[in-house]
């Protein structure tokens, strides 16, 4: 079990400056999108305004963070201390958190081990802090390496002391479970540079590596008005990126996953769509309703395949140009050909669309449509499936698809 210790922090400010490729770079004031958490007659809430930019709070005091962790533990009266790990994360870079050593020491006194959530290591000015953090009970680290070439880190990660950060990365690899990560920029840290990074991480003893596809356009997920982040660079096509993940996984002995595609170990995303897993589809409930599912460009073929295999003829799937379903906005819905949409529509649970906007846009042709929301997720992204088995992934996907069928049968009920 993991408990989150949110240390706060604002991107660009509490991370020693933006990386050149950062999703939040160039973001200015963001107008509220609307989402499932908004009030029924009001567009905008903390999640779809401040929350989406991770700009809600500066770094918090260690006392406040520890208190929040203790309160979370009190809600789990039957926990055994050895089963608990504290995931230290925030909006900035946790290595820049000025009280990190103090926080981990206090958690260690409570017999709690710590996981340093995503860090670029830009707050590490001398490598021995890694040893001290390990002595404080840090036994897991997710480290955005980008490249083990100090020159590339200095230029692209804006790391002022890349050699010290990489030395710390090595110490973590040798004494804890370190998962490396890298946003892959075509022509910068792919190809031979990527292989050298993987060679070094494998030599140091890293647990694995997460490859992250670079996004540079609105349809790829930049919904904060900050596209393009890098002019003159085109993102790698999704299919090619998936092939790259497969290649790296075959070439190295550590665990390799990718986001948005793929996890070679578990078959994700949408493991149950694969032919060899067809036997598991018998555990999906019977579809009795009639509805249109709106999802992303990447997810649509997988979802369509699953519903075709279970003979759900009354369900059709429309993929909008947006590649990530939870980043769908009202602009995506406005591009849909309404002649293909049934009277009941299911949109992604986490889509950044208010119910009022969804109903207005999807009924613009004069057909008053019922709009429901599906589950927040239908599969497990490569970032989250890293520590899961193929059985874990299939079980969770079946649960989520049954929730989707429940939504279809409820909103698309046929009399």
């Amino acid at each position: 079990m993991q408990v989150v210790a949110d240390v706060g922090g604002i991107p660009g400010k509490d991370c020693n400056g933006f990386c050149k490729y950062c999703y939040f770079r160039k973001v200015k004031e963001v107008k509220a999108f609307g989402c499932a958490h908004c009030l029924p007659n009001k567009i905008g809430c903390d999640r779809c305004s401040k929350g989406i930019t991770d700009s809600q709070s500066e770094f918090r005091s260690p006392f406040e963070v520890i208190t929040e962790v203790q309160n979370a533990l009190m809600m789990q009266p039957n926990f055994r201390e050895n089963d608990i790990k504290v995931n230290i994360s925030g909006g900035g870079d946790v290595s820049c958190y000025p009280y990190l050593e103090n926080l981990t020491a206090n958690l260690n006194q409570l017999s709690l081990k710590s996981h340093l959530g995503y860090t670029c290591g830009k707050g590490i000015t001398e490598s021995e802090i890694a040893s001290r953090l390990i002595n404080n009970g840090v036994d897991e680290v997710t480290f955005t390496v980008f490249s083990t070439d100090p020159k590339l880190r200095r230029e692209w990660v804006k790391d002022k002391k890349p050699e010290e950060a990489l030395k710390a990365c090595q110490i973590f690899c040798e004494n804890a479970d370190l998962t490396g990560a890298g946003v892959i920029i075509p022509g910068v840290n792919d190809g031979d540079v990527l292989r050298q990074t993987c060679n070094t991480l494998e030599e140091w003893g890293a647990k694995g590596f997460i490859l992250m596809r670079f996004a540079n356009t609105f349809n790829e997920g930049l919904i904060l008005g900050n596209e393009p982040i890098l002019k003159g660079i085109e993102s790698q096509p999704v299919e090619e990126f998936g092939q790259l993940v497969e290649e790296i996984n075959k070439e190295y002995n550590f665990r390799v996953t990718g986001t948005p595609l793929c996890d070679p170990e578990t078959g994700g995303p949408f493991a149950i769509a694969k032919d060899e897993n067809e036997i598991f589809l018998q555990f999906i409930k019977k579809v009795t309703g009639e509805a249109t599912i709106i999802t992303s460009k990447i997810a649509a073929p997988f979802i369509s395949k699953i519903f075709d295999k279970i003979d759900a003829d009354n369900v059709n799937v429309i993929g909008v140009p947006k590649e990530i379903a939870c980043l769908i906005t009202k602009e995506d819905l406005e591009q849909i050909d309404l002649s293909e949409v049934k009277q009941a529509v299911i949109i992604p649970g986490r889509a950044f669309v208010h119910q009022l906007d969804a109903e207005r846009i999807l009924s613009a042709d004069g057909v008053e449509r019922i709009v429901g929301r599906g589950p927040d997720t239908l599969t497990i992204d490569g970032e989250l499936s890293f520590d899961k088995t193929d059985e874990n992934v299939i079980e969770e996907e079946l649960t989520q698809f049954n929730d989707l069928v429940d939504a279809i049968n409820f909103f698309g009920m046929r009399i």
Side-chain angles (χ1 to χ4, degrees), residues 228-345:
I229 293 173
L230 297 172
K231 293 182 179 179
I233 292 184
E234 291 188 10
S235 305
Q236 190 173 16
V238 174
E239 295 76 13
E240 288 184 17
F241 179 80
Q243 291 172 5
L244 174 63
V245 176
E246 296 274 7
E247 290 172 8
I248 297 298
N249 181 64
K250 290 177 181 177
E251 293 173 24
Y252 295 90
N253 293 321
F254 50 50
R255 182 94 154 82
V256 178
T257 65
T259 178
L261 295 175
C262 61
D263 183 345
E265 191 76 20
T266 66
F270 299 101
I272 59 175
K274 293 182 165 48
D275 293 336
E276 60 268 28
N277 292 328
E278 188 170 348
I279 187 173
F280 296 106
L281 298 181
Q282 63 182 305
F283 299 106
I284 295 179
K285 298 176 183 178
K286 182 176 178 59
V287 177
T288 59
E290 182 176 77
T292 294
I293 298 171
I294 293 175
T295 187
S296 68
K297 174 183 177 181
I298 292 176
F302 294 107
I303 298 173
S304 293
K305 186 175 182 180
I306 292 167
F307 279 101
D308 285 345
K309 285 186 173 183
I310 63 174
D311 296 324
D313 298 331
N314 295 315
V315 175
N316 70 315
V317 180
I318 296 177
V320 299
K322 185 70 57 59
E323 294 181 345
I324 308 297
C326 62
L327 295 177
I328 286 175
T329 64
K330 64 180 182 180
E331 288 81 5
D332 297 301
L333 300 188
E334 289 170 345
Q335 299 183 52
I336 294 173
D337 180 355
L338 295 180
S339 67
E340 300 178 5
V341 180
K342 298 181 185 295
Q343 191 163 358
V345 189

Side-chain angles (χ1 to χ4, degrees), residues 11 84 93 138 225 227 239 361 390:
I84 300 291
D93 187 323
V138 173
E227 59 166 315
E239 295 76 13
I361 294 168
D390 50 355

Side-chain angles (χ1 to χ4, degrees), residues 3 47 139-140 155-156 158 252 263 371:
V3 173
R47 175 182 179 263
D139 66 355
E140 187 176 358
E155 178 185 356
W156 286 86
K158 299 298 181 181
Y252 295 90
D263 183 345
V371 180

Side-chain angles (χ1 to χ4, degrees), residues 20 45 81 231-232 239 254 395 399:
K20 285 180 71 172
C45 66
E81 290 172 343
K231 293 182 179 179
E239 295 76 13
F254 50 50
E395 184 178 359
T399 298

